């Protein structure tokens, strides 16, 4: 079964932001016209991307689309303009680069919109999948997409989506992402399940009644014969494991 490399957004975005922070000093300009400011924003971003993108065969290939400032914008003269990334900014998808006057009679701060695309291989659906259907390996094929088109993470490894349930109706051509699938239900509320646990040199095992639906890998509540309610992690269709 083919797999995709596991490179993902978080390391790339983190390195971009960290590098950008190092580049904050040293930009100065007397110009305050939109065209000059846009060039400054572009010059600020370009080396950051060139250095941050991995050179080890990573599947992601960056593409940057610079936006424009409002041409009607009139800013006070400034001796030094400092490019920066606004707090919480993620250079992924639609973003922005800030430009602030740090030496001038009037301090100002403007933003240039930017779109960062990250092209790479992903699993793309070959057919429509109704909500609730189980996904199989034959449902998707590898194609190049923009990973940054949506915030939800791309499911690069088949084991992360094969056997999962479609969370909502999925159309052909969609790249599989985390928000599109959910784990199948192992048991329904009211089912009899085995509760087990180990710790401190001892172990327990009992049969109880599930109070909530059980999803493999997620928490479920179980009522034991004596009336005590415990919470554990669903391991399979019949077992809930307690952390002791």
């Amino acid at each position: 079964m083919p797999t995709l490399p596991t490179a993902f957004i978080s390391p790339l975005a983190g390195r971009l932001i960290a590098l950008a922070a190092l580049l904050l000093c040293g930009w100065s300009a007397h110009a305050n016209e939109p065209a000059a400011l846009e060039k400054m924003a572009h010059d600020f971003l370009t080396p950051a991307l060139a250095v941050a993108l991995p050179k080890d065969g990573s599947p992601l290939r960056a593409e940057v689309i610079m936006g424009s400032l409002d041409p009607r914008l009139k800013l006070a003269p400034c001796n030094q303009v400092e490019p920066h990334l606004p707090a919480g900014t993620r250079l992924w998808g639609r973003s922005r680069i800030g430009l602030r006057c740090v030496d001038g009679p009037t301090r100002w701060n403007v933003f240039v919109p930017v779109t960062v695309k990250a092209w790479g291989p992903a699993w793309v659906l070959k057919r429509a999948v109704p909500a609730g259907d189980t996904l199989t390996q034959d449902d998707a094929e590898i194609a190049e997409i923009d990973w940054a088109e949506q915030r939800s993470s791309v499911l690069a490894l088949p084991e992360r989506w094969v056997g999962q349930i479609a969370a909502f109706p999925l159309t052909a051509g969609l790249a599989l992402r985390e928000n599109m699938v959910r784990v199948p239900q192992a048991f329904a509320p009211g089912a009899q399940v085995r509760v087990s646990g180990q710790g401190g040199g001892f172990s327990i095992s009992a049969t109880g009644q599930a109070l909530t639906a059980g999803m493999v890998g997620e928490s479920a509540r179980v009522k034991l014969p004596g009336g005590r309610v415990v919470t554990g992690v669903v391991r399979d269709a019949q077992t809930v494991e307690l952390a002791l």
Side-chain angles (χ1 to χ4, degrees):
M1 180 182 297
T3 61
L4 296 180
T6 56
F8 185 58
I9 174 59
S10 297
L12 174 60
R15 282 178 290 178
L16 286 174
I17 294 173
L19 181 60
L22 296 176
L23 295 175
L24 287 181
C25 57
W27 261 278
S28 62
H30 295 279
N32 61 334
E33 295 299 318
L37 294 173
E38 290 163 13
K39 183 179 185 306
M40 189 181 302
H42 181 275
D43 292 344
F44 168 75
L45 181 60
T46 299
L49 284 171
V51 173
L53 284 178
K55 308 292 191 301
D56 57 358
S58 169
L60 298 183
R61 172 176 53 83
E63 176 187 352
V64 176
I65 301 174
M66 299 295 298
S68 302
L69 291 170
D70 188 335
R72 299 167 298 179
L73 192 64
K74 300 298 181 183
L75 299 171
C78 183
N79 297 320
Q80 184 173 353
V81 177
E82 180 182 79
H84 68 97
L85 292 178
T89 294
R90 192 182 186 199
L91 287 175
W92 190 254
R94 293 182 182 275
S95 188
R96 59 182 184 166
I97 297 173
L99 295 162
R100 57 192 169 204
C101 177
V102 296
D103 181 12
T106 301
R107 300 297 177 91
W108 42 259
N109 192 23
V110 295
F111 302 95
V112 179
V114 59
T115 299
V116 178
K117 297 187 176 185
W119 296 99
W123 291 99
V124 175
L125 288 172
K126 297 188 290 185
R127 68 174 184 90
V129 180
D133 273 18
T134 300
L135 290 161
T136 69
Q137 179 70 46
D138 292 334
D139 289 329
E141 61 186 354
I142 294 177
E144 187 177 63
I145 68 154
D146 174 16
W147 285 38
E149 186 177 20
Q150 297 181 23
R151 290 290 183 179
S152 185
S153 304
V154 168
L155 297 176
L157 302 176
E159 53 264 35
R160 295 192 61 195
W161 58 268
V162 172
Q164 302 289 295
I165 305 298
F168 50 85
L170 305 177
T171 58
L174 282 178
L176 289 166
R177 297 176 182 267
E178 282 186 350
N179 66 327
M180 298 178 181
V181 301
R182 58 179 175 81
V183 296
Q185 180 173 297
F187 52 77
Q192 293 296 305
V193 297
R194 185 172 65 89
V195 177
S196 65
Q198 294 183 345
F202 65 93
S203 63
I204 65 170
S205 180
T207 299
Q209 183 181 43
L211 298 179
T212 57
M215 308 291 184
V216 175
E218 298 184 3
S219 297
R221 297 171 65 238
V222 179
K223 184 177 181 180
L224 299 178
R228 182 185 176 191
V229 176
V230 296
T231 300
V233 177
V234 179
R235 293 307 180 196
D236 55 43
Q238 297 179 327
T239 308
V240 175
E241 185 177 280
L242 303 180
L244 300 177

